[in-house]
Structures are given as structure tokens and as C-alpha cells.
Amino acid sequence: MSKRIAGPEIERLIQLLAKVPGLGPRSARRAALHLIKKKDQLLAPLTAAMGEALDKVRVCSTCGNVDTSDPCTICSDPRRDPATLIVVEDVSDLWALERAAAMNVRYHVLGGTLSPLDGIGPDQLNIRTLVDRVAAGEVKEVILAVNATVEGQTTAHYLTDQLSDLDVKVTRLAHGVPVGGELDYLDEGTLTAALKSRTAF
Amino acid sequence: MSKRIAGPEIERLIQLLAKVPGLGPRSARRAALHLIKKKDQLLAPLTAAMGEALDKVRVCSTCGNVDTSDPCTICSDPRRDPATLIVVEDVSDLWALERAAAMNVRYHVLGGTLSPLDGIGPDQLNIRTLVDRVAAGEVKEVILAVNATVEGQTTAHYLTDQLSDLDVKVTRLAHGVPVGGELDYLDEGTLTAALKSRTAF
């Protein structure tokens, strides 16, 4: 805003809200105003929830997930099959797989992908802890659920190599047509992969 | 999420973030994760800023604006012309007009529009304070900058009526073609108004 129309506290709130993904400078103003108007119903409980997250959230020392306990809820859940480990790049991938609720297993969060140009080598990712976890013997299968990008696939190859000496099956997610997807809109790589991995009807 | 994958604090944070305008359930998850990851750079300062807003923000008893001081920054700014008052429905309208920075004047925030069906009569809006402000004598012109909706126009007529006994000029925003707007996309009402109020070139 060109001239001061409100106290610096409100300007600062807007500036910080604009950094939240999903909000831009314009929607941050709208969000700030909404929060201020709904002081008791939204601003107060949200501030409290954020303060609690700030206090309690930590990274799980076993799998790299974020949670309010360490080991995290997933690592400490005795009903999860300890023989299968899904390796993901990021916590958001873990959450996505949990929403699909396809498998009742544990995870390992790498914290990114190998990217030498950005200075991200094996030591910057949670790879050592993964090898140690697998070497401990309980894990029988490691599913590499990394993104189907160049960096993701490079990382997958590196991990396969690191795990090759251990008694563990290494698998990866299937490539194919997304459920609900239209062939017309798919790229050639996906279509070729879907044809190659065709299954009996 | 179908089963517990994180502590209740994170779930609660996501639920509350989803109530912020501009964020939905999906982007709230992304926002929560981003906040948790950028604990020191974003979560901590944003929590502090929200706490401060919670503490300090109040409604200006003169004009109905929200600010960290009462009277607000605008009402207490001696460089603003006290002879003109712009009446708006909401604080967001005040902010929009200030961004345009077209006039260095003061405001009066109604807090809504007359809407008998929703139980909003004159007593639910800041109308009494407006009449009192104008009756005090310093204000020479009241610009009704209410929305061009049925409720907005009804409210404008009511206000004109209330102010008719006072020695004040009541004006309203011009109707016309938005700057940068294409005629092809404009409704008939706007075009008719723009033709009627045509000006010399």
C-alpha cells in the first residue's frame, strides 16, 4: 500500500500470510481481514494450533516423517507391517499414499532427490538411515515411490545400488494410465509404458 | 484421512487452515506442511504476527475500520481532508480505495448492507455514528461508495434519506466502463449507464 493506512502489525501479518503456499499478495489481504474479523472463531484457535505445532512438531528420527512424537505415529503403530518400507521423497508424498490407504506399511522419507548441481548428494538425504534400517533385517521389500522425474529416477537407481548387497526386494511404482485419465491427454512415455506393462483383462 | 497418520495437533492445524479464505482442504495440507518445514523462517514469525494481531487489533470507534489503534491510523492522520467522507460497506472496500490512492480523505465503514431478510436493519450497521459524524458539522461531502448491488443501492437510498436534513452534499461513485474493460463483455445496465453519463472527449 502506498501510504500507511493501518498499524505495522497488520501489514506484517499480510506480508507473512502471502508467503503461505496457496496465498498470494491479494488473497493474503483477504485472509488477514477474514482472520481479524473472525478473531474468536478462527484467529485465536489458529494461532494456538500454530503455536502448538511450533512447540511440538519434530522430525521422526526413524523415518524422517514430521509429527508431534518421535518415533512418529506411523513408526510406533504396531499394526503396520514392518516387512515393507515405502521410500518417498517428501512428507507430502507420504500423506498422499496414506490418503490412498492402499497399504498398511511403514515409510522412509528421503527429504529430496539427488541433485549434484544443487549440491544435494547422498549425505544431504536420509539414505544412510534407510540402509541401516534395511540392514537391521526386518524389512523384506523396499518400494521406491519416488517421483517419475529425472532426479527421482536417478535417486531410485542410486538407492537400488546401495541396497543391492542386502537381502531385500527392491520394487518401484507401476507406470501407466492414471485412473480416470484420458489417453488423448497422456504423453507418449506414459502410453508406451502402459502398453509395455499391459495386463490380462 | 482415514487412519491416524500424525498427532492430533497437525490434523487440527490443517482443519483450521482450511477455513482461511483462499485455502481449501487440499491446499491447507500443503500450507501446513510448508509451515512445519519452514518452522523458523515462517511458522514462528507468522504465529507471532497472528498473536500480535489477536492482541492489538480493534475496531475504530470513529469510522469502523480495523486497526491496532483507536482512533485508527486514517482517522488520526491530520493530513487527511476532514471535509469529505467516503462511506463503504466493508473494510476490504476501504483498503481497495486506499490502494487506488485517489483521494486523501477519511472513511466510514458501515459493516454491511441493509438486508431485512437476514435481520440486518439500520441498527445493525454503523449508520447512527455516520449521521452523528456528519451532524458534527466538519463534513461537507459524503461519497457513497457502496457496491452496485440491490442491497448496496437500497442502503445508499436509506443513507441519503437519513442525511437529507443535514447540510452535506451526498454523492455516489460513477457507473461506467471499467478501465481496461471490453464493451463486448459488459452487461446492458453498465453500457446504458456509460452512455448516459458520457463526457466530452
Side-chain angles (χ1 to χ4, degrees):
Chain A
M1 299 179 202
S2 43
K3 34 184 183 182
R4 273 281 296 283
I5 66 160
E9 296 88 351
I10 294 179
E11 294 286 341
R12 184 159 165 73
L13 177 62
I14 295 172
Q15 275 166 19
L16 287 166
L17 280 172
K19 293 187 188 167
V20 174
L23 296 178
R26 210 181 182 96
S27 46
R29 262 196 309 265
R30 209 159 59 94
L33 202 55
H34 186 84
L35 286 170
I36 288 170
K37 280 189 195 162
K38 304 253 171 194
K39 230 170 155 172
D40 297 332
Q41 303 101 299
L42 188 54
L43 182 56
L46 183 56
T47 307
M50 284 168 56
E52 210 160 14
L54 198 57
D55 251 18
K56 295 191 181 169
V57 169
R58 58 209 71 233
V59 173
C60 174
S61 53
T62 307
C63 74
N65 187 14
V66 290
D67 202 348
T68 44
S69 56
D70 179 16
C72 71
T73 310
I74 292 177
C75 282
S76 53
D77 182 349
R79 288 159 305 174
R80 285 181 184 255
D81 177 12
T84 308
L85 215 55
I86 301 184
V87 175
V88 293
E89 290 176 21
D90 195 277
V91 177
S92 57
D93 302 325
L94 185 162
W95 287 6
L97 286 164
E98 277 297 302
R99 284 201 298 282
M103 291 184 88
N104 200 26
V105 297
R106 301 220 169 108
Y107 294 86
H108 197 85
V109 182
L110 293 176
T113 47
L114 292 176
S115 179
L117 286 178
D118 301 320
I120 301 179
D123 293 340
Q124 276 69 50
L125 304 176
N126 295 326
I127 292 181
R128 175 66 15 220
T129 49
L130 171 65
V131 175
D132 289 349
R133 263 180 106 177
V134 175
E138 217 179 7
V139 179
K140 297 296 166 223
E141 179 178 357
V142 169
I143 304 175
L144 300 177
V146 290
N147 290 333
T149 55
V150 174
E151 292 82 10
Q153 296 310 307
T154 308
T155 310
H157 281 293
Y158 180 82
L159 291 177
T160 313
D161 197 52
Q162 294 292 303
L163 297 169
S164 60
D165 292 340
L166 300 167
D167 180 27
V168 68
K169 198 165 101 186
V170 179
T171 57
R172 61 164 195 177
L173 295 184
H175 285 310
V177 180
V179 176
E182 294 184 42
L183 297 197
D184 202 12
Y185 290 96
L186 284 174
D187 62 294
E188 290 77 9
T190 304
L191 286 173
T192 307
L195 273 173
K196 228 189 255 175
S197 312
R198 66 192 179 277
T199 53
F201 194 59
Chain B
M1 299 176 201
S2 43
K3 37 186 177 175
R4 273 281 295 283
I5 67 159
E9 294 89 352
I10 295 179
E11 293 286 341
R12 184 160 165 71
L13 177 62
I14 295 173
Q15 274 165 19
L16 286 166
L17 280 172
K19 291 185 188 167
V20 174
L23 296 178
R26 209 182 184 96
S27 46
R29 262 198 307 266
R30 208 158 60 94
L33 203 53
H34 186 83
L35 286 170
I36 288 171
K37 280 189 195 164
K38 305 254 170 193
K39 231 171 157 172
D40 296 331
Q41 303 102 300
L42 188 54
L43 182 54
L46 183 55
T47 308
M50 285 169 56
E52 209 158 16
L54 197 57
D55 251 17
K56 297 191 181 167
V57 170
R58 59 210 69 237
V59 172
C60 175
S61 54
T62 307
C63 74
N65 186 15
V66 290
D67 202 345
T68 44
S69 56
D70 179 16
C72 70
T73 311
I74 293 177
C75 282
S76 53
D77 182 349
R79 290 160 303 176
R80 287 180 183 256
D81 177 13
T84 308
L85 214 55
I86 302 183
V87 175
V88 293
E89 292 177 17
D90 196 277
V91 176
S92 58
D93 302 327
L94 185 162
W95 288 7
L97 287 164
E98 277 296 304
R99 283 199 299 281
M103 291 184 87
N104 200 25
V105 297
R106 301 221 170 108
Y107 294 85
H108 197 86
V109 182
L110 293 175
T113 46
L114 292 174
S115 178
L117 286 178
D118 301 320
I120 301 179
D123 295 339
Q124 277 69 51
L125 303 177
N126 295 326
I127 292 180
R128 175 66 16 221
T129 50
L130 171 66
V131 176
D132 289 349
R133 265 180 104 177
V134 175
E138 216 179 7
V139 178
K140 296 297 166 220
E141 178 178 359
V142 168
I143 304 174
L144 301 177
V146 291
N147 291 332
T149 55
V150 174
E151 292 83 8
Q153 296 310 308
T154 309
T155 310
H157 281 294
Y158 180 83
L159 291 177
T160 313
D161 197 52
Q162 293 292 304
L163 298 169
S164 60
D165 292 341
L166 300 168
D167 178 27
V168 69
K169 197 166 101 186
V170 179
T171 56
R172 61 163 195 178
L173 295 184
H175 286 308
V177 180
V179 175
E182 293 183 43
L183 297 195
D184 200 13
Y185 290 97
L186 285 174
D187 63 294
E188 290 77 8
T190 305
L191 286 174
T192 307
L195 274 173
K196 228 188 257 174
S197 311
R198 65 191 177 281
T199 53
F201 195 60

